[in-house]
Amino acid sequence: MCIRDRYMGYEDIKMVQDIDSLSIPDSLAPLSPALSKEGDSSTRKWTLLHVGTNTNYLLEWVNGTKSVLKLYNFCSKVDHNIEIGVIEVLSEMGLYPKVIYKCPSYRIEEYIESAQLELFDVRKPAMMLLVAELISGLHHNAPLRELVNPLLTSKDAFILNVCKNWLEDFKTQYETIKNKIGESKHKPLIEQLGQLFKKEYQDIITTLLPQGRELVLSHNDISPANLLSFTEKDGHNKLYLIDYEYCALNYRGYDLAVLIEDIVT
């Protein structure tokens, strides 16, 4: 598991509720014509799409329309309040599917007939160009940044928080190992390793991270699975970048590095 995955808390994701116990309020009906007030839960079809920081379901309503349910799972590194604020702004700007309903435990989004990209799709030059334009649009969208900025709780670069979390994780494990070995002959070696790690961490902060560079609004988890391709009414292909759980300020190179890592490896 890479450093990014450890920071994002993939290892501590817990499903907080089962779909059978979920109660969708009748008040949804007037919110959107996509939802039907007819029938009860037994007349709706639920299809599991994906499990991650969200458990995603395709909802097929009795009137034949569809929506996407994103049921929030517990993850220590995710603030869904920030995510929902960001995607509502994106939705208003036509950069994200419409949010039909939201509450503390889940949200329901507009369903768009689309295809989730696969690894080999992104490797095609024409698709790679669309993805590059999408990422550039996110990073350089000044009105979006202005609207989203008040929602962001941290003004530090996301990658800096990744490194800090990495260090704290190491410190915890390091102290556990030191306590276990006690005064054994291995103690000097463990202490030496601890000092080497601290130096390595400091070198990363001072040498590898760009000092004084502009921070941009970043997705921080760009992968083929978070890219939806669909065709607009005018016949043009369009991409949506979805799932902004880790949206934060960052150096623009991070989004590119994460995507390249997924494409190459």
Side-chain angles (χ1 to χ4, degrees):
M1 183 177 289
C2 70
I3 298 171
R4 173 179 62 126
D5 294 345
R6 289 297 299 270
Y7 173 79
M8 290 179 169
Y10 291 158
E11 76 281 8
D12 73 350
I13 291 173
K14 298 179 180 64
M15 294 184 68
V16 295
Q17 58 182 315
D18 186 82
I19 191 68
D20 294 331
S21 66
L22 184 68
S23 174
I24 294 184
D26 291 336
S27 59
L28 279 177
L31 294 178
S32 168
L35 302 181
S36 170
K37 198 172 182 180
E38 301 173 53
D40 56 23
S41 59
S42 63
T43 63
R44 302 175 184 134
K45 181 179 178 182
W46 311 71
T47 305
L48 179 64
L49 298 176
H50 175 72
V51 178
T53 48
N54 301 321
T55 300
N56 298 330
Y57 290 90
L58 175 64
L59 304 184
E60 298 183 53
W61 301 85
V62 292
N63 66 355
T65 56
K66 300 176 182 178
S67 306
V68 176
L69 168 69
K70 292 182 176 287
L71 183 64
Y72 303 148
N73 296 323
F74 172 78
C75 179
S76 60
K77 305 300 187 299
V78 170
D79 184 340
H80 287 291
N81 290 321
I82 294 177
E83 180 195 16
I84 192 68
V86 169
I87 66 175
E88 283 185 319
V89 172
L90 289 167
S91 179
E92 287 296 319
M93 301 180 81
L95 302 174
Y96 195 91
K98 292 179 181 177
V99 178
I100 297 170
Y101 179 79
K102 62 180 180 179
C103 68
S105 57
Y106 66 89
R107 70 177 182 269
I108 296 177
E109 296 179 357
E110 169 191 20
Y111 173 78
I112 294 176
E113 198 68 49
S114 59
Q116 188 179 54
L117 294 190
E118 300 289 343
L119 181 64
F120 293 102
D121 295 325
V122 184
R123 288 177 176 173
K124 295 174 183 176
M127 183 59 72
M128 196 174 290
L129 180 60
L130 285 177
V131 173
E133 290 174 346
L134 181 67
I135 295 173
S136 178
L138 175 65
H139 291 171
H140 295 92
N141 191 326
L144 173 64
R145 169 69 182 272
E146 185 177 350
L147 289 168
V148 167
N149 203 51
L151 304 172
L152 304 176
T153 55
S154 174
K155 304 306 178 185
D156 290 332
F158 179 84
I159 183 61
L160 185 59
N161 290 327
V162 169
C163 290
K164 287 178 179 177
N165 184 269
W166 184 32
L167 178 61
E168 289 304 314
D169 187 48
F170 170 81
K171 286 178 178 177
T172 300
Q173 296 186 40
Y174 175 69
E175 291 301 324
T176 300
I177 293 171
K178 274 183 63 178
N179 292 335
K180 282 185 176 180
I181 66 170
E183 295 299 324
S184 79
K185 63 180 181 180
H186 301 298
K187 184 177 179 180
L189 175 61
I190 295 300
E191 291 179 342
Q192 183 181 4
L193 288 174
Q195 292 301 318
L196 286 172
F197 179 86
K198 289 177 183 177
K199 182 180 182 303
E200 180 74 13
Y201 172 79
Q202 197 56 45
D203 286 346
I204 291 174
I205 298 299
T206 58
T207 306
L208 297 182
L209 294 186
Q211 304 298 312
R213 295 290 182 89
E214 178 192 11
L215 298 179
V216 298
L217 184 67
S218 300
H219 183 278
N220 297 311
D221 191 24
I222 295 180
S223 68
N226 284 333
L227 291 164
L228 298 182
S229 173
F230 62 98
T231 303
E232 295 185 290
K233 292 179 180 179
D234 60 7
H236 288 91
N237 289 333
K238 185 173 180 178
L239 289 179
Y240 271 150
L241 181 57
I242 62 170
D243 293 347
Y244 282 75
E245 294 99 315
Y246 302 103
C247 181
L249 299 178
N250 209 350
Y251 304 109
R252 59 171 52 87
Y254 187 89
D255 274 341
L256 298 175
V258 167
L259 181 61
I260 290 170
E261 179 192 29
D262 280 346
I263 292 174
V264 173
T265 60

